C-alpha cells in the first residue's frame, strides 16, 4: 500500500472511531420527578418508565430509549446523530398505542406524533451523551402534548 493511500485509510478510520459513542450517556445529577397530571400545551419532564396522566384521563408512559446515537459532547463528529424513544399513550378501555419520537437535528416532524386527537412531541432527551459511562435509568424526556 502506498504511503498516501495508507494515510487516507488511517484518517478515515480515525474519523469513524471518533464518531462512535464509546460509552452510554452520563449520569445526571437528579432527574425531576414525573408530574402526576400534566396540562396540555405545557412542556413537562418524564423519567424513563415514568407515567403522566393527561387532563382527558389518558396516560403517557416513557417506555424506553430505542436508540441514542447523538454525538457525545466531548467528541467531534461529522454527523450529529439522533435519539429515538418510545412512549405509550393509553386511554381507559383501549389498548395502548406505541409512539416513536425521534430527536434529529433539522427534522421537527420526526419528533411529534398525532393520535387520539392529541399531538405528542419530544422537546429534549437528557442526559446528553458524553464518553463517560452512565445508567439508562437516568434518561428523562421533555415532552409537550397539544390538541391540534
Amino acid at each position: 500500500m502506498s504511503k498516501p493511500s495508507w494515510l487516507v485509510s488511517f484518517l478515515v478510520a480515525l474519523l469513524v472511531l471518533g464518531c462512535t459513542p464509546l460509552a452510554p450517556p452520563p449520569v445526571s445529577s437528579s432527574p425531576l420527578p414525573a408530574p402526576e397530571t400534566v396540562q396540555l400545551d405545557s412542556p413537562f419532564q418524564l423519567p424513563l418508565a415514568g407515567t403522566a396522566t393527561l387532563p382527558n384521563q389518558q396516560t403517557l408512559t416513557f417506555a424506553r430509549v430505542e436508540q441514542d446515537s447523538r454525538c457525545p459532547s466531548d467528541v467531534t463528529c461529522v454527523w450529529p446523530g439522533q435519539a429515538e424513544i418510545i412512549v405509550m399513550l393509553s386511554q381507559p378501555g383501549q389498548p395502548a398505542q406505541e409512539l416513536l419520537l425521534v430527536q434529529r437535528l433539522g427534522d421537527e416532524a420526526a419528533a411529534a406524533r398525532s393520535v387520539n386527537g392529541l399531538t405528542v412531541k419530544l422537546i429534549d432527551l437528557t442526559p446528553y451523551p458524553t464518553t463517560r459511562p452512565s445508567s439508562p435509568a437516568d434518561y428523562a424526556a421533555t415532552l409537550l402534548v397539544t390538541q391540534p
Side-chain angles (χ1 to χ4, degrees):
M1 187 181 278
S2 69
K3 189 173 186 177
S5 64
W6 175 87
L7 181 60
V8 169
S9 297
F10 177 74
L11 291 173
V12 168
L14 280 177
L15 181 64
V16 168
L17 289 174
C19 290
T20 304
L22 301 174
V27 175
S28 68
S29 58
S30 136
L32 298 175
E36 287 187 18
T37 301
V38 297
Q39 299 302 313
L40 298 179
D41 303 315
S42 293
F44 61 94
Q45 195 171 54
L46 196 59
L48 186 61
T51 298
T53 302
L54 304 173
N56 60 3
Q57 298 309 303
Q58 293 186 57
T59 58
L60 191 64
T61 302
F62 180 5
R64 65 185 179 275
V65 176
E66 269 305 277
Q67 152 183 206
D68 190 355
S69 65
R70 296 174 293 172
C71 181
S73 60
D74 52 353
V75 173
T76 301
C77 300
V78 295
W79 185 62
Q82 67 183 26
E84 298 178 357
I85 68 167
I86 299 292
V87 296
M88 304 297 288
L89 183 63
S90 303
Q91 60 183 356
Q94 300 289 326
Q97 295 189 17
E98 187 174 284
L99 307 176
L100 173 67
L101 305 175
V102 180
Q103 184 180 44
R104 181 174 38 233
L105 187 64
D107 190 355
E108 289 291 316
R113 294 290 176 259
S114 294
V115 65
N116 296 346
L118 298 174
T119 298
V120 180
K121 182 176 183 181
L122 174 62
I123 303 294
D124 194 20
L125 181 64
T126 57
Y128 195 86
T130 69
T131 55
R132 292 181 299 274
S134 71
S135 167
D138 292 325
Y139 276 108
T142 301
L143 302 168
L144 176 66
V145 180
T146 59
Q147 277 186 313

mmCIF file of all heavy atoms in Angstrom, residues 51-91:
data_model
loop_
_atom_site.group_PDB
_atom_site.id
_atom_site.type_symbol
_atom_site.label_atom_id
_atom_site.label_comp_id
_atom_site.label_asym_id
_atom_site.label_seq_id
_atom_site.Cartn_x
_atom_site.Cartn_y
_atom_site.Cartn_z
ATOM 1 N N THR A 51 -44.861 7.694 34.264
ATOM 2 C CA THR A 51 -46.178 7.848 33.646
ATOM 3 C C THR A 51 -46.810 9.148 34.111
ATOM 4 O O THR A 51 -46.745 9.486 35.290
ATOM 5 C CB THR A 51 -47.091 6.661 34.010
ATOM 6 O OG1 THR A 51 -46.508 5.463 33.509
ATOM 7 C CG2 THR A 51 -48.486 6.825 33.421
ATOM 8 N N ALA A 52 -47.414 9.846 33.177
ATOM 9 C CA ALA A 52 -48.144 11.083 33.483
ATOM 10 C C ALA A 52 -49.581 10.920 33.005
ATOM 11 O O ALA A 52 -49.841 10.272 31.986
ATOM 12 C CB ALA A 52 -47.484 12.271 32.801
ATOM 13 N N THR A 53 -50.515 11.518 33.741
ATOM 14 C CA THR A 53 -51.928 11.499 33.365
ATOM 15 C C THR A 53 -52.263 12.818 32.679
ATOM 16 O O THR A 53 -51.921 13.886 33.174
ATOM 17 C CB THR A 53 -52.821 11.308 34.605
ATOM 18 O OG1 THR A 53 -52.456 10.093 35.245
ATOM 19 C CG2 THR A 53 -54.284 11.250 34.219
ATOM 20 N N LEU A 54 -52.943 12.709 31.543
ATOM 21 C CA LEU A 54 -53.371 13.889 30.797
ATOM 22 C C LEU A 54 -54.755 14.313 31.280
ATOM 23 O O LEU A 54 -55.464 13.505 31.891
ATOM 24 C CB LEU A 54 -53.378 13.572 29.303
ATOM 25 C CG LEU A 54 -52.038 13.053 28.756
ATOM 26 C CD1 LEU A 54 -52.184 12.617 27.311
ATOM 27 C CD2 LEU A 54 -50.949 14.095 28.900
ATOM 28 N N PRO A 55 -55.175 15.540 31.011
ATOM 29 C CA PRO A 55 -56.475 16.015 31.510
ATOM 30 C C PRO A 55 -57.662 15.148 31.082
ATOM 31 O O PRO A 55 -58.656 15.073 31.789
ATOM 32 C CB PRO A 55 -56.589 17.423 30.923
ATOM 33 C CG PRO A 55 -55.190 17.856 30.701
ATOM 34 C CD PRO A 55 -54.435 16.609 30.343
ATOM 35 N N ASN A 56 -57.584 14.466 29.958
ATOM 36 C CA ASN A 56 -58.694 13.641 29.484
ATOM 37 C C ASN A 56 -58.605 12.191 29.990
ATOM 38 O O ASN A 56 -59.234 11.311 29.420
ATOM 39 C CB ASN A 56 -58.756 13.675 27.955
ATOM 40 C CG ASN A 56 -57.485 13.143 27.322
ATOM 41 O OD1 ASN A 56 -56.571 12.694 28.007
ATOM 42 N ND2 ASN A 56 -57.422 13.196 26.021
ATOM 43 N N GLN A 57 -57.818 11.963 31.020
ATOM 44 C CA GLN A 57 -57.621 10.658 31.664
ATOM 45 C C GLN A 57 -56.802 9.678 30.830
ATOM 46 O O GLN A 57 -56.674 8.514 31.193
ATOM 47 C CB GLN A 57 -58.952 10.018 32.080
ATOM 48 C CG GLN A 57 -59.725 10.841 33.107
ATOM 49 C CD GLN A 57 -58.851 11.223 34.302
ATOM 50 O OE1 GLN A 57 -58.291 10.364 34.966
ATOM 51 N NE2 GLN A 57 -58.718 12.515 34.577
ATOM 52 N N GLN A 58 -56.232 10.120 29.710
ATOM 53 C CA GLN A 58 -55.265 9.287 29.001
ATOM 54 C C GLN A 58 -53.959 9.347 29.780
ATOM 55 O O GLN A 58 -53.707 10.308 30.513
ATOM 56 C CB GLN A 58 -55.059 9.796 27.570
ATOM 57 C CG GLN A 58 -56.282 9.633 26.695
ATOM 58 C CD GLN A 58 -56.000 10.015 25.259
ATOM 59 O OE1 GLN A 58 -55.108 9.459 24.634
ATOM 60 N NE2 GLN A 58 -56.760 10.966 24.739
ATOM 61 N N THR A 59 -53.143 8.317 29.633
ATOM 62 C CA THR A 59 -51.837 8.313 30.299
ATOM 63 C C THR A 59 -50.741 8.208 29.248
ATOM 64 O O THR A 59 -50.927 7.620 28.175
ATOM 65 C CB THR A 59 -51.690 7.164 31.305
ATOM 66 O OG1 THR A 59 -51.874 5.921 30.638
ATOM 67 C CG2 THR A 59 -52.677 7.309 32.449
ATOM 68 N N LEU A 60 -49.605 8.780 29.579
ATOM 69 C CA LEU A 60 -48.442 8.769 28.713
ATOM 70 C C LEU A 60 -47.284 8.196 29.516
ATOM 71 O O LEU A 60 -46.972 8.699 30.595
ATOM 72 C CB LEU A 60 -48.139 10.199 28.256
ATOM 73 C CG LEU A 60 -47.128 10.374 27.151
ATOM 74 C CD1 LEU A 60 -47.624 9.734 25.856
ATOM 75 C CD2 LEU A 60 -46.875 11.858 26.914
ATOM 76 N N THR A 61 -46.666 7.132 29.008
ATOM 77 C CA THR A 61 -45.556 6.465 29.695
ATOM 78 C C THR A 61 -44.321 6.502 28.812
ATOM 79 O O THR A 61 -44.388 6.170 27.626
ATOM 80 C CB THR A 61 -45.913 4.994 30.004
ATOM 81 O OG1 THR A 61 -47.094 4.972 30.807
ATOM 82 C CG2 THR A 61 -44.795 4.293 30.742
ATOM 83 N N PHE A 62 -43.185 6.906 29.390
ATOM 84 C CA PHE A 62 -41.895 6.871 28.697
ATOM 85 C C PHE A 62 -41.400 5.435 28.815
ATOM 86 O O PHE A 62 -40.827 5.038 29.817
ATOM 87 C CB PHE A 62 -40.945 7.875 29.340
ATOM 88 C CG PHE A 62 -39.561 7.961 28.725
ATOM 89 C CD1 PHE A 62 -39.193 7.269 27.581
ATOM 90 C CD2 PHE A 62 -38.617 8.768 29.320
ATOM 91 C CE1 PHE A 62 -37.920 7.375 27.045
ATOM 92 C CE2 PHE A 62 -37.335 8.892 28.797
ATOM 93 C CZ PHE A 62 -36.986 8.188 27.655
ATOM 94 N N ALA A 63 -41.647 4.627 27.783
ATOM 95 C CA ALA A 63 -41.392 3.187 27.835
ATOM 96 C C ALA A 63 -39.915 2.823 27.713
ATOM 97 O O ALA A 63 -39.410 2.012 28.485
ATOM 98 C CB ALA A 63 -42.191 2.478 26.751
ATOM 99 N N ARG A 64 -39.232 3.412 26.714
ATOM 100 C CA ARG A 64 -37.828 3.017 26.528
ATOM 101 C C ARG A 64 -37.125 3.961 25.554
ATOM 102 O O ARG A 64 -37.756 4.684 24.799
ATOM 103 C CB ARG A 64 -37.720 1.592 26.027
ATOM 104 C CG ARG A 64 -38.271 1.330 24.655
ATOM 105 C CD ARG A 64 -38.226 -0.160 24.276
ATOM 106 N NE ARG A 64 -38.783 -0.391 22.968
ATOM 107 C CZ ARG A 64 -40.076 -0.571 22.705
ATOM 108 N NH1 ARG A 64 -40.950 -0.540 23.677
ATOM 109 N NH2 ARG A 64 -40.490 -0.772 21.480
ATOM 110 N N VAL A 65 -35.795 3.883 25.591
ATOM 111 C CA VAL A 65 -34.955 4.572 24.614
ATOM 112 C C VAL A 65 -34.606 3.518 23.563
ATOM 113 O O VAL A 65 -33.985 2.508 23.882
ATOM 114 C CB VAL A 65 -33.672 5.145 25.262
ATOM 115 C CG1 VAL A 65 -32.774 5.772 24.209
ATOM 116 C CG2 VAL A 65 -34.023 6.147 26.352
ATOM 117 N N GLU A 66 -35.055 3.734 22.341
ATOM 118 C CA GLU A 66 -34.784 2.799 21.246
ATOM 119 C C GLU A 66 -33.339 2.924 20.804
ATOM 120 O O GLU A 66 -32.710 1.930 20.490
ATOM 121 C CB GLU A 66 -35.659 3.122 20.035
ATOM 122 C CG GLU A 66 -36.981 2.450 19.925
ATOM 123 C CD GLU A 66 -36.996 0.953 19.977
ATOM 124 O OE1 GLU A 66 -36.770 0.291 18.950
ATOM 125 O OE2 GLU A 66 -37.285 0.423 21.051
ATOM 126 N N GLN A 67 -32.863 4.164 20.722
ATOM 127 C CA GLN A 67 -31.524 4.426 20.208
ATOM 128 C C GLN A 67 -31.074 5.796 20.690
ATOM 129 O O GLN A 67 -31.888 6.710 20.798
ATOM 130 C CB GLN A 67 -31.563 4.374 18.668
ATOM 131 C CG GLN A 67 -30.550 5.190 18.024
ATOM 132 C CD GLN A 67 -30.582 5.233 16.516
ATOM 133 O OE1 GLN A 67 -29.554 5.474 15.979
ATOM 134 N NE2 GLN A 67 -31.694 5.051 15.833
ATOM 135 N N ASP A 68 -29.792 5.903 20.982
ATOM 136 C CA ASP A 68 -29.213 7.217 21.260
ATOM 137 C C ASP A 68 -27.839 7.257 20.620
ATOM 138 O O ASP A 68 -26.853 6.815 21.200
ATOM 139 C CB ASP A 68 -29.131 7.492 22.768
ATOM 140 C CG ASP A 68 -28.752 8.941 23.060
ATOM 141 O OD1 ASP A 68 -28.462 9.702 22.101
ATOM 142 O OD2 ASP A 68 -28.740 9.317 24.239
ATOM 143 N N SER A 69 -27.807 7.743 19.394
ATOM 144 C CA SER A 69 -26.543 7.826 18.660
ATOM 145 C C SER A 69 -26.086 9.278 18.531
ATOM 146 O O SER A 69 -25.293 9.602 17.654
ATOM 147 C CB SER A 69 -26.701 7.211 17.265
ATOM 148 O OG SER A 69 -27.611 7.960 16.485
ATOM 149 N N ARG A 70 -26.605 10.151 19.434
ATOM 150 C CA ARG A 70 -26.177 11.550 19.386
ATOM 151 C C ARG A 70 -24.684 11.627 19.649
ATOM 152 O O ARG A 70 -24.144 10.881 20.475
ATOM 153 C CB ARG A 70 -26.941 12.376 20.424
ATOM 154 C CG ARG A 70 -28.439 12.428 20.145
ATOM 155 C CD ARG A 70 -29.188 13.130 21.249
ATOM 156 N NE ARG A 70 -29.132 12.356 22.484
ATOM 157 C CZ ARG A 70 -29.574 12.778 23.662
ATOM 158 N NH1 ARG A 70 -30.118 13.975 23.760
ATOM 159 N NH2 ARG A 70 -29.500 12.013 24.729
ATOM 160 N N CYS A 71 -24.021 12.515 18.937
ATOM 161 C CA CYS A 71 -22.583 12.680 19.082
ATOM 162 C C CYS A 71 -22.267 13.136 20.506
ATOM 163 O O CYS A 71 -22.812 14.141 20.973
ATOM 164 C CB CYS A 71 -22.076 13.715 18.082
ATOM 165 S SG CYS A 71 -20.289 13.964 18.168
ATOM 166 N N PRO A 72 -21.412 12.395 21.225
ATOM 167 C CA PRO A 72 -21.066 12.809 22.587
ATOM 168 C C PRO A 72 -20.513 14.236 22.608
ATOM 169 O O PRO A 72 -19.803 14.654 21.688
ATOM 170 C CB PRO A 72 -19.991 11.801 23.010
ATOM 171 C CG PRO A 72 -20.266 10.605 22.163
ATOM 172 C CD PRO A 72 -20.750 11.143 20.845
ATOM 173 N N SER A 73 -20.850 14.972 23.645
ATOM 174 C CA SER A 73 -20.467 16.384 23.722
ATOM 175 C C SER A 73 -18.955 16.578 23.798
ATOM 176 O O SER A 73 -18.469 17.653 23.470
ATOM 177 C CB SER A 73 -21.140 17.051 24.918
ATOM 178 O OG SER A 73 -20.740 16.414 26.114
ATOM 179 N N ASP A 74 -18.207 15.548 24.205
ATOM 180 C CA ASP A 74 -16.756 15.681 24.300
ATOM 181 C C ASP A 74 -16.027 15.000 23.135
ATOM 182 O O ASP A 74 -14.871 14.627 23.245
ATOM 183 C CB ASP A 74 -16.253 15.170 25.649
ATOM 184 C CG ASP A 74 -16.738 13.770 25.973
ATOM 185 O OD1 ASP A 74 -17.579 13.221 25.228
ATOM 186 O OD2 ASP A 74 -16.268 13.206 26.973
ATOM 187 N N VAL A 75 -16.726 14.846 21.994
ATOM 188 C CA VAL A 75 -16.164 14.249 20.786
ATOM 189 C C VAL A 75 -16.559 15.128 19.611
ATOM 190 O O VAL A 75 -17.619 15.748 19.618
ATOM 191 C CB VAL A 75 -16.727 12.810 20.582
ATOM 192 C CG1 VAL A 75 -16.303 12.224 19.262
ATOM 193 C CG2 VAL A 75 -16.327 11.901 21.728
ATOM 194 N N THR A 76 -15.715 15.183 18.581
ATOM 195 C CA THR A 76 -16.054 15.889 17.357
ATOM 196 C C THR A 76 -16.508 14.855 16.335
ATOM 197 O O THR A 76 -15.799 13.904 16.055
ATOM 198 C CB THR A 76 -14.830 16.655 16.809
ATOM 199 O OG1 THR A 76 -14.412 17.577 17.817
ATOM 200 C CG2 THR A 76 -15.175 17.402 15.545
ATOM 201 N N CYS A 77 -17.700 15.040 15.798
ATOM 202 C CA CYS A 77 -18.279 14.091 14.851
ATOM 203 C C CYS A 77 -18.650 14.798 13.560
ATOM 204 O O CYS A 77 -18.863 15.995 13.539
ATOM 205 C CB CYS A 77 -19.542 13.460 15.435
ATOM 206 S SG CYS A 77 -19.282 12.552 16.958
ATOM 207 N N VAL A 78 -18.787 14.001 12.483
ATOM 208 C CA VAL A 78 -19.235 14.563 11.214
ATOM 209 C C VAL A 78 -20.750 14.522 11.107
ATOM 210 O O VAL A 78 -21.332 15.162 10.254
ATOM 211 C CB VAL A 78 -18.607 13.827 10.010
ATOM 212 C CG1 VAL A 78 -17.110 14.041 9.986
ATOM 213 C CG2 VAL A 78 -18.942 12.354 10.042
ATOM 214 N N TRP A 79 -21.422 13.751 11.959
ATOM 215 C CA TRP A 79 -22.881 13.644 11.960
ATOM 216 C C TRP A 79 -23.364 13.830 13.384
ATOM 217 O O TRP A 79 -22.811 13.225 14.318
ATOM 218 C CB TRP A 79 -23.291 12.267 11.435
ATOM 219 C CG TRP A 79 -24.758 12.079 11.269
ATOM 220 C CD1 TRP A 79 -25.593 12.779 10.449
ATOM 221 C CD2 TRP A 79 -25.583 11.115 11.925
ATOM 222 N NE1 TRP A 79 -26.882 12.317 10.558
ATOM 223 C CE2 TRP A 79 -26.903 11.281 11.460
ATOM 224 C CE3 TRP A 79 -25.350 10.130 12.867
ATOM 225 C CZ2 TRP A 79 -27.963 10.509 11.901
ATOM 226 C CZ3 TRP A 79 -26.408 9.358 13.291
ATOM 227 C CH2 TRP A 79 -27.704 9.549 12.806
ATOM 228 N N PRO A 80 -24.419 14.643 13.622
ATOM 229 C CA PRO A 80 -24.851 14.898 14.997
ATOM 230 C C PRO A 80 -25.555 13.707 15.655
ATOM 231 O O PRO A 80 -25.684 13.659 16.862
ATOM 232 C CB PRO A 80 -25.808 16.070 14.859
ATOM 233 C CG PRO A 80 -26.282 16.037 13.449
ATOM 234 C CD PRO A 80 -25.171 15.427 12.644
ATOM 235 N N GLY A 81 -25.986 12.735 14.854
ATOM 236 C CA GLY A 81 -26.684 11.577 15.417
ATOM 237 C C GLY A 81 -28.124 11.899 15.749
ATOM 238 O O GLY A 81 -28.631 12.973 15.430
ATOM 239 N N GLN A 82 -28.779 10.933 16.380
ATOM 240 C CA GLN A 82 -30.180 11.115 16.736
ATOM 241 C C GLN A 82 -30.511 10.257 17.942
ATOM 242 O O GLN A 82 -29.778 9.349 18.290
ATOM 243 C CB GLN A 82 -31.099 10.751 15.569
ATOM 244 C CG GLN A 82 -31.080 9.279 15.206
ATOM 245 C CD GLN A 82 -31.960 8.986 14.005
ATOM 246 O OE1 GLN A 82 -32.207 9.850 13.171
ATOM 247 N NE2 GLN A 82 -32.454 7.764 13.910
ATOM 248 N N ALA A 83 -31.644 10.580 18.549
ATOM 249 C CA ALA A 83 -32.167 9.780 19.659
ATOM 250 C C ALA A 83 -33.597 9.390 19.307
ATOM 251 O O ALA A 83 -34.335 10.185 18.726
ATOM 252 C CB ALA A 83 -32.136 10.573 20.957
ATOM 253 N N GLU A 84 -33.958 8.154 19.642
ATOM 254 C CA GLU A 84 -35.313 7.659 19.405
ATOM 255 C C GLU A 84 -35.852 7.103 20.712
ATOM 256 O O GLU A 84 -35.170 6.317 21.379
ATOM 257 C CB GLU A 84 -35.324 6.540 18.358
ATOM 258 C CG GLU A 84 -34.849 6.954 17.008
ATOM 259 C CD GLU A 84 -34.836 5.796 16.013
ATOM 260 O OE1 GLU A 84 -35.157 4.644 16.397
ATOM 261 O OE2 GLU A 84 -34.501 6.043 14.846
ATOM 262 N N ILE A 85 -37.064 7.523 21.054
ATOM 263 C CA ILE A 85 -37.700 6.986 22.256
ATOM 264 C C ILE A 85 -39.079 6.442 21.899
ATOM 265 O O ILE A 85 -39.668 6.824 20.883
ATOM 266 C CB ILE A 85 -37.816 8.039 23.385
ATOM 267 C CG1 ILE A 85 -38.806 9.151 23.008
ATOM 268 C CG2 ILE A 85 -36.454 8.599 23.757
ATOM 269 C CD1 ILE A 85 -39.200 10.043 24.185
ATOM 270 N N ILE A 86 -39.565 5.557 22.755
ATOM 271 C CA ILE A 86 -40.912 5.020 22.628
ATOM 272 C C ILE A 86 -41.719 5.508 23.826
ATOM 273 O O ILE A 86 -41.297 5.343 24.974
ATOM 274 C CB ILE A 86 -40.918 3.475 22.613
ATOM 275 C CG1 ILE A 86 -40.114 2.943 21.423
ATOM 276 C CG2 ILE A 86 -42.346 2.935 22.622
ATOM 277 C CD1 ILE A 86 -40.715 3.195 20.075
ATOM 278 N N VAL A 87 -42.864 6.127 23.542
ATOM 279 C CA VAL A 87 -43.815 6.479 24.589
ATOM 280 C C VAL A 87 -45.109 5.722 24.296
ATOM 281 O O VAL A 87 -45.429 5.444 23.138
ATOM 282 C CB VAL A 87 -44.070 8.008 24.703
ATOM 283 C CG1 VAL A 87 -42.806 8.735 25.114
ATOM 284 C CG2 VAL A 87 -44.614 8.577 23.419
ATOM 285 N N MET A 88 -45.807 5.365 25.353
ATOM 286 C CA MET A 88 -47.070 4.637 25.223
ATOM 287 C C MET A 88 -48.197 5.572 25.638
ATOM 288 O O MET A 88 -48.168 6.128 26.741
ATOM 289 C CB MET A 88 -47.069 3.395 26.105
ATOM 290 C CG MET A 88 -45.908 2.442 25.850
ATOM 291 S SD MET A 88 -45.879 1.732 24.210
ATOM 292 C CE MET A 88 -47.248 0.606 24.319
ATOM 293 N N LEU A 89 -49.180 5.737 24.755
ATOM 294 C CA LEU A 89 -50.355 6.550 25.048
ATOM 295 C C LEU A 89 -51.524 5.602 25.276
ATOM 296 O O LEU A 89 -51.857 4.801 24.409
ATOM 297 C CB LEU A 89 -50.650 7.512 23.895
ATOM 298 C CG LEU A 89 -51.804 8.477 24.094
ATOM 299 C CD1 LEU A 89 -51.536 9.425 25.263
ATOM 300 C CD2 LEU A 89 -52.046 9.280 22.817
ATOM 301 N N SER A 90 -52.111 5.676 26.458
ATOM 302 C CA SER A 90 -53.213 4.776 26.828
ATOM 303 C C SER A 90 -54.436 5.584 27.204
ATOM 304 O O SER A 90 -54.325 6.660 27.778
ATOM 305 C CB SER A 90 -52.822 3.932 28.040
ATOM 306 O OG SER A 90 -51.645 3.211 27.794
ATOM 307 N N GLN A 91 -55.589 5.031 26.889
ATOM 308 C CA GLN A 91 -56.848 5.605 27.355
ATOM 309 C C GLN A 91 -57.694 4.469 27.897
ATOM 310 O O GLN A 91 -57.560 3.327 27.465
ATOM 311 C CB GLN A 91 -57.554 6.379 26.257
ATOM 312 C CG GLN A 91 -57.928 5.604 25.034
ATOM 313 C CD GLN A 91 -58.552 6.528 23.986
ATOM 314 O OE1 GLN A 91 -58.767 7.712 24.217
ATOM 315 N NE2 GLN A 91 -58.831 5.997 22.839
#
